[in-house]
């Protein structure tokens, strides 16, 4: 069994890797660089994770656990979750840009978890029903992740790094405003796309 100090070292290495992978990508990150960030030997990294791929898998598991955990309903709990999520946002953005198999798995997990969350919202009455719940979920997730993938472009107009909490919250609030109050004042565009769909 591992001691508490071993578990702490493991978590520190994983968090350093999360930051490195988010900044430089998995291909651009070495075990030696992660070890140097933590102040341990590369051998200790390999002792805990076996390989760089094992380290990446641990990062994926950490991100998935954070997604499954979600944020609490209170603004304080949500704020804490957002503050803690900056390295996770960076990691997700880089993984999606790199287009790895792991990124596809992460995206699928996010879609699945979000679809469950929206279905629960429908049952509880705080989410409107949809004619196509799967498409709604995929589009919603895509909107949420787009600022991370288009980080430089979006950040220029929002005035900051999209992985940082202040910028992420600014963009998310604008999105939530549109989703809650609506963007269009009438249904002309919905009717137009529905008509096109009926023809295909």
């Amino acid at each position: 069994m591992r001691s508490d100090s071993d578990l702490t070292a493991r978590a520190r290495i994983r968090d350093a890797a999360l930051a490195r992978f988010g900044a430089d990508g998995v291909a651009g990150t070495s075990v030696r660089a992660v070890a140097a960030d933590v102040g341990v030997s590369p051998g200790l990294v390999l002792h805990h994770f076996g390989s760089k791929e094992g380290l990446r898998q641990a990062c994926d598991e950490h991100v998935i656990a954070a997604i499954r955990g979600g944020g609490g309903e209170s603004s304080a709990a949500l704020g804490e979750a957002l503050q803690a999520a900056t390295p996770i946002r960076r990691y997700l953005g880089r993984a999606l840009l790199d287009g790895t198999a792991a990124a596809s798995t992460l995206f699928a997990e996010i879609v699945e978890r979000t679809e469950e969350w929206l279905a629960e919202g429908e049952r509880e009455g705080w989410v409107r029903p949809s004619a196509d719940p799967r498409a709604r979920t995929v589009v919603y997730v895509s909107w949420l992740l787009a600022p991370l993938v288009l980080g430089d472009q979006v950040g220029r107009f929002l005035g900051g790094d999209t992985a940082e909490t202040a910028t992420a919250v600014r963009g998310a609030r604008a999105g939530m405003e549109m989703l809650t109050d609506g963007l269009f004042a009438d249904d002309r565009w919905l009717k137009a796309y529905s008509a096109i769909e009926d023809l295909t």
Side-chain angles (χ1 to χ4, degrees), residues 183-191:
L183 177 63
F184 299 116
D186 59 45
D187 64 354
R188 71 184 76 181
W189 294 110
L190 177 60
K191 285 180 177 176

Side-chain angles (χ1 to χ4, degrees), residues 16-198:
L18 196 72
R20 274 280 180 177
F21 291 155
D24 302 328
V26 174
T29 298
S30 66
V31 169
R32 187 174 298 278
V34 173
D37 288 344
V38 186
V40 300
S41 70
L44 185 63
V45 176
L46 296 176
H47 167 74
H48 282 294
F49 299 97
S51 64
K52 185 169 77 169
E53 176 61 17
L55 186 55
R56 184 202 59 75
Q57 289 175 2
C59 289
D60 282 358
E61 289 166 7
H62 180 66
V63 170
I64 288 171
I67 291 164
R68 285 176 175 161
E73 291 185 4
S74 73
S75 59
L78 178 58
E80 288 174 8
L82 288 169
Q83 289 285 356
T86 297
I88 291 173
R89 285 192 290 268
R90 285 192 203 288
Y91 181 86
L92 263 177
R94 185 61 192 238
L96 292 167
L97 277 174
D98 289 348
T100 61
S104 297
T105 300
L106 282 172
F107 187 84
E109 175 75 24
I110 294 168
V111 168
E112 181 181 331
R113 176 67 184 88
T114 303
E115 191 165 28
E116 292 170 0
W117 176 66
L118 290 172
E120 181 182 346
E122 277 195 35
R123 290 191 295 272
E124 295 178 357
W126 51 269
V127 170
R128 292 187 179 95
S130 170
D132 190 342
R134 170 49 64 95
R136 173 185 63 185
T137 302
V138 172
V139 170
Y140 177 65
V141 168
S142 299
W143 283 352
L144 291 178
L145 296 178
L148 297 178
V149 179
L150 299 170
D152 291 343
Q153 290 74 22
V154 173
R156 278 192 303 123
F157 289 96
L158 291 185
D161 183 339
T162 55
E164 295 293 337
T165 301
T167 308
V169 168
R170 183 182 179 194
R173 190 199 174 284
M176 290 302 155
E177 181 181 46
M178 285 191 291
L179 291 170
T180 303
D181 298 331
L183 177 63
F184 299 116
D186 59 45
D187 64 354
R188 71 184 76 181
W189 294 110
L190 177 60
K191 285 180 177 176
Y193 279 99
S194 296
I196 293 169
E197 190 175 43
D198 289 343

